[in-house]
Amino acid sequence: MGQALLWAAKGMNTTSPNPRVGCVIVKQGRVIGAGHTQPVGQAHAEIQALNDARANGHDVSGATVYVNLEPCSHFGRTPPCVDALIEAKVKRVVVALKDPYPEVAGRGLEKLREAGILVLTDVRPEEAREINIGFLSRFERGLPWVRLKLAASLDGKTALNNGQSQWITSQPARNDGHLWRARACAILTGIGTVQADDPQLTVRAIETPRQPRRIVLDSALEIDPNAKVLDGGGTWIVAAQSNPAKEAALREQGAEIILLPGEDGQVDLKGLMRELAKRHINELHVEAGARLNGALLAQGCVDELLLYLAPSILGEAQPMFALPALSSLAGKHSLHFRDIAQIGDDLRIIARIQHQQP
């Protein structure tokens, strides 16, 4: 199963919105085939592994198949993987997690058992859950997994009061941030960041065959049609107020306008998360300013922080979150540290919101 998880990770940046799945086939104590799910519409991990075994002259009948997610049992863009496993006459299938996708949801395991194949489940489920945390979140909660990325000084400042922020953290930390961008289905920012920094919101520090969707929260549709985040088209602009003329200009740039009015003329953030899940967004990567960061956190829309801390102190400067002062510590947002690592000169901290653990 450990090898299957490593194979699944090979599809980290390519399988979206499908899950990341790896498959390893073992016979007489030897690995005879392995593979991982390909981009949407192409072969799933089990088919890749079966083809790999056969291409190397191996008979897969009587073999054991290890896969980190339940094999599919329905016709989608590809035929059911369980049918291929049954036809191959494998003896045993070992699965890390049941697939919550409604068209599968245990049916794949049931079909294998009905065919006389021994099925074992819940093998290394915690690791399997982490690799597909967004996919599972989308079907279990109806929400994407929201990862909020921050780069700050040791005293928690993200920019000087004049807006200067390039660069608080080191190049290795910035490159690492692009790795996390690449695995996400979409990158979200706010209009304030677009106006201040004119970011591209693309993956550039590493090679990737797929660029995440770009999303801008812009309640009053203030974005400049020449903003870099619109380059190449496909950007989603989420607004709270309609402006037909501005919407037409943005559509000419290839953008899509999503109207989700909430309170006080702002975007309905919780409604946006539900909408993104419906639009097949598994993992949402947020890179925004203190105001949007604070609003997302306050409304329970954040699952974990991806925080890069530089060994520097800025003093009076812009904070990570714009949040109201507390009158009691009972109102604090509690997290737990999932991982702490040194990246270049900086610390990378992954801290998960406790009440939203999967």
Side-chain angles (χ1 to χ4, degrees):
M1 187 59 75
Q3 289 192 43
L5 288 163
L6 289 174
W7 274 93
K10 293 176 183 289
M12 185 67 72
N13 303 342
T14 58
T15 64
S16 174
N18 289 340
R20 301 153 180 145
V21 182
C23 180
V24 172
I25 302 174
V26 176
K27 189 172 183 179
Q28 297 178 341
R30 293 177 53 231
V31 173
I32 61 171
H36 65 89
T37 295
Q38 301 300 296
V40 172
Q42 299 181 40
H44 288 187
E46 297 90 335
I47 306 305
Q48 289 285 104
L50 288 170
N51 290 342
D52 180 50
R54 289 162 177 156
N56 288 294
H58 297 293
D59 177 11
V60 298
S61 63
T64 295
V65 175
Y66 294 86
V67 62
N68 62 296
L69 192 68
E70 176 184 0
C72 66
S73 55
H74 68 294
F75 280 90
R77 294 182 177 90
T78 58
C81 291
V82 291
D83 290 358
L85 294 174
I86 292 168
E87 184 179 341
K89 294 183 171 58
V90 302
K91 180 179 181 180
R92 185 171 68 145
V93 176
V94 182
V95 176
L97 284 177
K98 186 169 79 170
D99 190 341
Y101 182 59
E103 295 292 325
V104 185
R107 293 183 183 88
L109 303 179
E110 182 181 355
K111 194 169 183 179
L112 291 170
R113 290 186 175 111
E114 288 175 349
I117 296 171
L118 178 64
V119 176
L120 277 68
T121 59
D122 297 318
V123 177
R124 299 177 73 163
E126 294 84 5
E127 294 161 86
R129 174 169 284 279
E130 286 300 319
I131 204 165
N132 277 311
I133 197 164
F135 177 81
L136 296 170
S137 174
R138 180 158 65 94
F139 287 103
E140 292 173 352
R141 306 187 305 169
L143 300 169
W145 185 259
V146 180
R147 184 176 294 114
L148 199 161
K149 181 256 185 181
L150 299 146
S153 61
L154 203 56
D155 55 342
K157 307 301 182 182
T158 60
L160 300 181
N161 283 335
N162 63 11
Q164 185 179 344
S165 62
Q166 300 181 350
W167 295 107
I168 291 175
T169 52
S170 63
Q171 187 67 53
R174 300 198 295 277
N175 291 348
D176 189 73
H178 277 248
L179 287 170
W180 291 88
R181 276 188 181 186
R183 67 174 281 170
C185 297
I187 303 173
L188 173 73
T189 195
I191 184 59
T193 298
V194 172
Q195 290 174 332
D197 300 335
D198 196 20
Q200 299 176 60
L201 288 192
T202 55
V203 179
R204 300 182 301 281
I206 63 166
E207 289 188 13
T208 180
R210 175 193 64 88
Q211 286 289 343
R213 175 79 61 180
R214 295 170 295 176
I215 307 173
V216 179
L217 259 66
D218 183 10
S219 293
L221 285 176
E222 301 173 289
I223 191 169
D224 185 334
N226 295 314
K228 291 178 183 176
V229 74
L230 300 174
D231 289 351
T235 302
W236 293 345
I237 309 295
V238 187
Q241 305 166 31
S242 179
N243 182 329
K246 190 66 175 285
E247 291 172 34
L250 292 170
R251 289 191 183 100
E252 287 183 4
Q253 297 295 100
E256 180 180 348
I257 314 301
I258 302 172
L259 289 174
L260 285 172
E263 297 179 357
D264 302 323
Q266 302 300 309
V267 167
D268 176 2
L269 295 178
K270 290 184 178 179
L272 173 61
M273 297 307 147
R274 293 190 294 269
E275 176 66 20
L276 293 181
K278 292 176 183 176
R279 289 170 175 251
H280 304 156
I281 301 299
N282 294 335
E283 292 184 22
L284 179 65
H285 181 95
V286 180
E287 295 192 23
R291 184 180 174 190
L292 180 52
N293 290 345
L296 289 167
L297 188 65
Q299 294 191 38
C301 297
V302 178
D303 294 299
E304 69 183 5
L305 304 184
L306 172 64
L307 172 60
Y308 297 90
L309 279 182
S312 60
I313 295 173
L314 299 185
E316 181 62 34
Q318 297 185 23
M320 291 187 279
F321 300 94
L323 290 167
L326 296 177
S327 57
S328 168
L329 285 175
K332 67 185 179 183
H333 295 272
S334 296
L335 303 92
H336 75 274
F337 293 131
R338 177 163 182 82
D339 181 72
I340 301 174
Q342 184 160 353
I343 309 292
D345 294 330
D346 308 308
L347 285 181
R348 184 190 68 197
I349 299 172
I350 300 176
R352 190 159 289 177
I353 307 294
Q354 288 188 354
H355 69 274
Q356 292 183 349
Q357 292 182 58

